[in-house]
Amino acid sequence: MEKFYITTAIYYVNSKPHIGSVSEAIAADVIARYKRLSNFDVFFSTGTDEHSQKIEAKAKELGIDPQKFVDEAASLWKTIFDRFNISYSRFIRTSDPDHTEVVKDFFVKMYEKGDIYLSTYEGWYCVRDETFLKDSELVEGKCPHCGGEVQRLSEDNYFFRLSKYRDDLLKFYLENPQFVEPESRYNELLNILKGGLQDISVTRKSFKFGIHVPFDEEHTIYVWYDALINYVSAIGYLTNKEMFSKYWPADLHLIGKDITRFHGIVWPAMLMSMGLPLPKKIFAHGFWNLEGMKMSKSLGNVVDPVEFAENFSKLSNITFAKSVDVLRYYLSREAIFGLDGDFRMESFFRRYNSDLANDYGNLINRTLNMLSKYRNLEVPPYSVDDEFVAFAKSKFNQYKEYMEKYALSFALDRVFEIISYLNNYIQVKEPWKLSKETGKLNVVLDTLLEGIAYVSVLLQPFMPNITAFILDEFGVENRNISEYDGQILKKNVLNLFEPIFPRLEKEKIDLDKKTEENEDNVIEISKVKYDDFAKLDLRVAKILSAKRVKNSDKLIELKVSLGKEERTIVAGIGKFYSEEGLIGKKIVIVANLEERRLMGITSQGMLLAASTSNKENLSLLTVDKDIEEGAKIS
Ligand code: ME8
């Protein structure tokens, strides 16, 4: 089986994930799923970049120990990636011990080779971008890239002899014009190489949080030197040689357009210095803007993907997991991958209503309703229209070609051409006029059913939850992505189900308005005396482990810490949380409830959670600051 190693950038944890960072992980996930379903042995790595000056500063601002801060922040990122169905093979953290060892190993080897040397750095540093800058690079005294404040540095630093690799890199670029894509990014880097390279500083003295130089502890290794190495430590560079030699070199480093220089020049030079092969491709995607404006925290217009998916789930009455799929679809379809995209509410709702509710969803509803009306939901004998088969084959070839080029939106266009074909097929064949022509009606119904099953196979990488539901309902066993070659639907009788994408009325399409309406929606509860309330012992508890209870899809057995003691709690949250995603969360529990036995396990307390009115989603109560476990809630 051919291997495919894909990576995303690793994310700074000083702020929460936003739609831009999550969009990168989603794109990588779409590609990873596509490759897996195309029979590749895929390793997909993503994770967090934790040793930066801005993260140390953020922890200080919050009065928390930096390590503790990154532990909690990384766990939040991981939970969010889990909720977005990012099917990573490894979630690497730069504070992981195996990674730390690899960074030291690189540093020592490159030093021994003479590629790292001690000198003095005189210049500027942009903390926001974690980048060293020369006098000539500043624009009006600020960072030329992000416009942020810069610090003057004058300190002993270790330097990497980047200049030594300039000629080899230039030669490599000229021989491999597809090493960096899109072409515009390749050209930018080629021009930098043509202009010559200078050695770069790879340690800091005035900053402590990070990996220290093994033979000179006063120096902290520069965050970018540390971070780039994650791509080899994630696959066991020192700890699992067999895995490393299987997956390295990476087939695809997926990154944003702002960090191409580090990936396209510094990283390959480090690999050359270590005598390791270079990655096969670096693909730089564009940036997401919001309603035509750059997303930035200072402008207050950063889209929180979890909040967005939660709001959309409430509004459209679909589960959170399905709402995530809709967002994944939108992000994949709306922008040409590689160029900037514009996240607009209007286009989001248009894509939902028109592509999903109308074209895909309605095709499914109409087909199942006809199957119910004319065939009592029994699937006719296999009799797919040859013309459709030929059409599906030609569209698959285009879909595949685009997926291989990471042109995700174009690949989706091809799938929706098949969907349009099927909708049009209903109009042309007018099945309602064929009730007396059994054979002809069978062909129409079977073509529609097989067509829906096939497009759902092709849509799996983009909407894994929704398509899994449809493919289960249709009894599709072989879900591999391949050319359509007949009968994939294996059930004899199907079921009717509620529309997967309930259409949204125009006036409802205003998330803000909906939030206000919800606030008006006061829930009445009877009043309790203060003394009665005070009898409840509510505590903050940290989840240490989580395990699904055998033979139950709802129950999860949690081990929680209350500081001085540990408890077992059995909770009915299995449909809403993954086991991994729960670990490390600080939740609220009722600590003085009578013990209860559930499925043979004694539950020593109850956790608190809020659920949506339709019971399709649930959220655990957590504390929003770092409160020690066991703390009393009053
Ligand atoms: O740069 N739209 O981390 P980061 C699309 N730790 N993508 C965006 C985006 C937007 N609006 N904003 C950011 C770092 N990104 C380093 C990487 S890798 C060895 C170290 C993308 O958290 C950005 O381009 O600032 C990058 O690929 C990723 O999010 C992480 O950005």
Side-chain angles (χ1 to χ4, degrees), residues 80-94:
I80 292 178
F81 278 22
D82 288 337
R83 295 191 80 192
F84 273 78
N85 279 311
I86 308 300
S87 59
Y88 51 79
S89 318
R90 173 152 182 198
F91 188 94
I92 186 166
R93 298 179 52 193
T94 51

Side-chain angles (χ1 to χ4, degrees), residues 19 95 98 104 140 153 162 176 211 252 263 301 313 371 419 428 471 572 587 589 634:
I19 208 82
S95 58
D98 62 336
K104 289 183 185 166
E140 294 173 358
L153 296 183
L162 183 62
N176 296 279
I211 303 170
L252 177 63
H263 284 81
N301 67 343
S313 149
L371 190 68
I419 292 175
V428 174
L471 295 173
I587 56 168
I589 68 159
S634 49

Side-chain angles (χ1 to χ4, degrees), residues 308-324 326 349 352 466 498-505 508 511 514 518 612-617:
F308 187 89
E310 272 168 358
N311 283 340
F312 187 69
S313 149
K314 277 183 220 155
L315 182 72
S316 56
N317 260 326
I318 60 175
T319 58
F320 178 82
K322 286 186 181 152
S323 177
V324 161
V326 174
F349 286 109
Y352 175 78
I466 289 170
E498 291 288 302
I500 297 171
F501 307 103
R503 216 188 132 72
L504 288 172
E505 296 313 320
K508 279 182 107 186
L511 285 177
K514 181 75 185 176
N518 280 350
T612 52
S613 52
N614 58 8
K615 302 274 179 251
E616 289 206 334
N617 208 348

Side-chain angles (χ1 to χ4, degrees), residues 364-621:
I364 300 172
N365 300 340
R366 288 175 81 188
T367 303
L368 285 179
N369 284 330
M370 287 191 288
L371 190 68
S372 165
K373 188 163 169 198
Y374 304 126
R375 292 286 181 271
N376 206 15
L377 286 168
E378 276 176 37
V379 178
Y382 180 72
S383 47
V384 174
D385 199 318
D386 289 342
E387 248 180 57
F388 170 74
V389 176
F391 184 79
K393 282 189 172 167
S394 80
K395 289 298 143 192
F396 171 73
N397 289 335
Q398 295 167 2
Y399 163 94
K400 185 168 176 237
E401 207 180 304
Y402 284 125
M403 287 302 276
E404 303 289 337
K405 288 197 281 196
Y406 315 125
L408 307 183
S409 65
F410 292 136
L412 275 172
D413 289 346
R414 301 310 142 221
V415 182
F416 275 79
E417 281 174 18
I418 307 180
I419 292 175
S420 296
Y421 179 103
L422 293 169
N423 276 318
N424 194 43
Y425 189 76
I426 301 180
Q427 292 318 111
V428 174
K429 298 288 175 186
E430 300 181 308
W432 46 91
K433 290 190 181 159
L434 299 175
S435 56
K436 295 209 175 70
E437 301 188 63
T438 310
K440 278 190 182 166
L441 185 56
N442 280 351
V443 172
V444 174
L445 290 173
D446 197 48
T447 302
L448 293 171
L449 292 168
E450 284 281 319
I452 292 168
Y454 186 57
V455 295
S456 304
V457 167
L458 301 183
L459 288 172
Q460 287 175 101
F462 301 91
M463 297 190 280
N465 262 292
I466 289 170
T467 50
F469 172 78
I470 297 168
L471 295 173
D472 284 349
E473 285 292 330
F474 277 52
V476 176
E477 284 158 18
N478 178 4
R479 298 181 185 187
N480 277 356
I481 290 183
S482 57
E483 190 177 80
Y484 181 74
D485 66 351
Q487 200 164 5
I488 52 173
L489 200 153
K490 298 283 184 217
K491 271 193 183 169
N492 296 327
V493 182
L494 301 187
N495 292 312
L496 285 178
F497 45 81
E498 291 288 302
I500 297 171
F501 307 103
R503 216 188 132 72
L504 288 172
E505 296 313 320
K506 227 180 160 151
E507 57 273 20
K508 279 182 107 186
I509 301 179
D510 183 348
L511 285 177
D512 295 338
K513 213 166 122 204
K514 181 75 185 176
T515 317
E516 278 165 26
E517 278 169 17
N518 280 350
E519 277 162 10
D520 289 339
N521 212 347
V522 182
I523 302 164
E524 298 242 348
I525 44 169
S526 56
K527 302 211 163 81
V528 288
K529 292 220 161 41
Y530 179 79
D531 287 352
D532 290 331
F533 167 71
K535 283 182 199 154
L536 279 181
D537 185 16
L538 299 177
R539 301 269 178 172
V540 174
K542 183 173 178 179
I543 302 181
L544 303 174
S545 67
K547 189 170 81 189
R548 283 186 187 275
V549 173
K550 229 174 156 191
N551 300 328
S552 165
D553 59 344
K554 264 171 65 187
L555 295 179
I556 292 198
E557 178 184 346
L558 304 170
K559 292 264 181 274
V560 301
S561 158
L562 291 177
K564 291 196 183 105
E565 64 171 305
E566 281 182 19
R567 297 268 184 105
T568 299
I569 292 187
V570 181
I573 55 174
K575 285 196 174 149
F576 312 100
Y577 285 95
S578 69
E579 291 151 277
E580 268 199 329
L582 286 163
I583 296 167
K585 268 188 188 300
K586 286 203 171 160
I587 56 168
V588 175
I589 68 159
V590 186
N592 60 343
L593 202 66
E594 279 179 353
E595 289 187 352
R596 272 180 74 193
R597 269 185 89 69
L598 288 160
M599 304 283 281
I601 307 163
T602 305
S603 184
Q604 305 161 303
M606 183 178 91
L607 55 73
L608 297 184
S611 57
T612 52
S613 52
N614 58 8
K615 302 274 179 251
E616 289 206 334
N617 208 348
L618 174 143
S619 171
L620 290 173
L621 246 66

Side-chain angles (χ1 to χ4, degrees), residues 85-316:
N85 279 311
I86 308 300
S87 59
Y88 51 79
S89 318
R90 173 152 182 198
F91 188 94
I92 186 166
R93 298 179 52 193
T94 51
S95 58
D96 285 343
D98 62 336
H99 169 74
T100 307
E101 287 313 308
V102 180
V103 173
K104 289 183 185 166
D105 181 79
F106 261 59
F107 203 93
V108 171
K109 291 215 171 95
M110 286 167 69
Y111 177 75
E112 283 169 353
K113 193 175 175 188
D115 278 354
I116 286 181
Y117 61 93
L118 190 61
S119 185
T120 307
Y121 179 76
E122 259 307 324
W124 301 95
Y125 192 77
C126 168
V127 178
R128 199 187 292 171
D129 278 2
E130 303 287 356
T131 315
F132 293 94
L133 297 163
K134 289 182 274 189
D135 286 317
S136 58
E137 285 179 287
L138 300 193
V139 175
E140 294 173 358
K142 301 222 163 126
C143 171
H145 309 295
C146 69
E149 297 294 333
V150 286
Q151 291 175 351
R152 183 80 193 165
L153 296 183
S154 172
E155 54 182 35
D156 288 347
N157 280 184
Y158 283 93
F159 282 74
F160 167 41
R161 230 177 269 288
L162 183 62
S163 57
K164 175 176 157 189
Y165 292 97
R166 183 263 186 184
D167 292 351
D168 286 347
L169 276 172
L170 184 58
K171 184 165 172 280
F172 180 81
Y173 264 72
L174 293 171
E175 284 169 0
N176 296 279
Q178 277 162 7
F179 177 53
V180 177
E181 284 192 51
E183 200 185 339
S184 56
R185 303 289 163 214
Y186 167 84
N187 288 333
E188 278 168 18
L189 296 178
L190 184 64
N191 284 336
I192 295 179
L193 286 171
K194 284 183 178 161
L197 295 177
Q198 287 188 356
D199 296 350
I200 57 163
S201 170
V202 286
T203 60
R204 297 285 311 281
K205 236 178 149 178
S206 53
F207 155 70
K208 297 281 164 258
F209 183 56
I211 303 170
H212 291 245
V213 174
F215 50 84
D216 196 350
E217 284 283 327
E218 268 187 315
H219 292 261
T220 309
I221 295 175
Y222 173 45
V223 59
W224 269 102
Y225 183 91
D226 168 351
L228 288 162
I229 293 172
N230 93 85
Y231 300 128
V232 294
S233 24
I235 47 168
Y237 176 68
L238 284 181
T239 47
N240 189 340
K241 298 255 151 76
E242 201 185 315
M243 176 155 95
F244 180 74
S245 54
K246 176 173 174 192
Y247 289 111
W248 191 259
D251 295 271
L252 177 63
H253 285 325
L254 191 65
I255 54 161
K257 64 178 183 178
D258 56 330
I259 54 175
T260 50
R261 200 172 55 87
F262 287 111
H263 284 81
I265 294 180
V266 179
W267 177 227
M270 286 166 66
L271 290 166
M272 283 177 172
S273 169
M274 291 293 289
L276 289 168
L278 305 197
K280 293 194 188 146
K281 189 178 292 298
I282 295 167
F283 189 99
H285 60 77
F287 263 37
W288 278 99
N289 296 321
L290 179 65
E291 306 283 350
M293 277 174 46
K294 190 174 174 217
M295 261 191 264
S296 104
K297 265 175 84 186
S298 48
L299 292 172
N301 67 343
V302 175
V303 180
D304 177 328
V306 176
E307 228 169 75
F308 187 89
E310 272 168 358
N311 283 340
F312 187 69
S313 149
K314 277 183 220 155
L315 182 72
S316 56

Side-chain angles (χ1 to χ4, degrees), residues 19 288-293 295 303 308 330-331 334 341-351 509:
I19 208 82
W288 278 99
N289 296 321
L290 179 65
E291 306 283 350
M293 277 174 46
M295 261 191 264
V303 180
F308 187 89
Y330 174 76
L331 292 169
E334 187 62 16
D342 195 11
F343 195 102
R344 286 183 185 270
M345 293 306 159
E346 184 270 328
S347 65
F348 180 86
F349 286 109
R350 187 168 34 78
R351 289 239 169 256
I509 301 179

